[in-house]
Each structure stands twice: as structure tokens, then as C-alpha cells.
Amino acid sequence: LVYNVLVYNVLVYNVLVYNVLAYNVLVYNVLVVVYNVLVYNVLVYNVLAYNVLVYNVLVYNVLAYNVLVYNVLVYNVLVYNVLVYNGLVYNVLVVVYNVLVYNVLVYNVLAYNVLVYNVL
């Protein structure tokens, strides 16, 4: 009986140890799965965050480029308008100068004619 009790106790102990080991393996497997899921989620999050950053940088660069192009176009229009305005002012001044010179010449001819007439 004592031998049977000892054998029984050893068997029960072995079953208990086996159950503890099996439980530990299950817990370990669950922890590994949870860890892998967490790592995967972190990697996916990092990829998504990276993609968002890249997208934002690209959008910013496109917007900055568009602003620069717009500013260059506005500057070119302003420069063109200034040049056209200066050309118009120059043309008006040339016309005014020519009219004044013509009037002086006509006045001088008339004055000369008056002088000649008076002498005659």
C-alpha cells in the first residue's frame, strides 16, 4: 500500500508538473502572440505616420511651389505694367516735346516774318 501510495503521489505530482508546464507554454504562446500583434500594430502605425508625413511634405512642397509660381507671375505682371506705363509716359512726353518744339519753330518763323516785314 505504501508503495502504491508513493507511486500514486509521484504520478499525481508528474501530472501537476505537466499541467503547470502546459499552462506556462500556453501563457508564453499567448504572450508571444500579443507581443507580435503589438509590434505589428506599432509597425503599421509607424508606416502610416510616415506616409502621412511624406504626404504632408509633398502637399506643402506643391503649395509652396504654387505660391512661388504665383508670386513670380504677379511680379512679372507688375513689371510688365510698369514698363507699359513708362512707355506710355515716354510717348506722351515725346509728343509734348515735339509739339513745344514745333510751336517754338512756328513762333520763330512768324517772328522772323514780322521782322522782315517791318524792315521792308
Side-chain angles (χ1 to χ4, degrees):
L1 286 176
V2 172
Y3 174 76
N4 287 342
V5 168
L6 287 175
V7 169
Y8 176 78
N9 287 341
V10 168
L11 291 174
V12 169
Y13 175 78
N14 287 341
V15 168
L16 290 174
V17 168
Y18 174 79
N19 287 341
V20 168
L21 291 175
Y23 175 79
N24 288 343
V25 168
L26 288 174
V27 169
Y28 173 78
N29 288 340
V30 169
L31 290 176
V32 167
V33 169
V34 169
Y35 174 78
N36 288 338
V37 168
L38 290 175
V39 168
Y40 175 77
N41 287 341
V42 169
L43 290 175
V44 169
Y45 174 80
N46 287 341
V47 169
L48 291 175
Y50 175 77
N51 288 341
V52 168
L53 288 174
V54 169
Y55 175 78
N56 287 342
V57 168
L58 291 175
V59 169
Y60 175 79
N61 287 342
V62 168
L63 291 175
Y65 174 77
N66 288 341
V67 168
L68 289 175
V69 169
Y70 175 78
N71 288 342
V72 168
L73 291 174
V74 168
Y75 175 78
N76 288 341
V77 168
L78 290 175
V79 168
Y80 175 77
N81 288 341
V82 168
L83 291 175
V84 169
Y85 175 78
N86 288 343
L88 291 174
V89 169
Y90 174 77
N91 288 339
V92 169
L93 290 177
V94 167
V95 169
V96 169
Y97 175 76
N98 287 339
V99 168
L100 290 175
V101 168
Y102 175 77
N103 287 341
V104 168
L105 289 175
V106 169
Y107 174 79
N108 286 342
V109 169
L110 291 174
Y112 176 76
N113 288 339
V114 168
L115 285 174
V116 169
Y117 175 78
N118 286 339
V119 169
L120 291 175

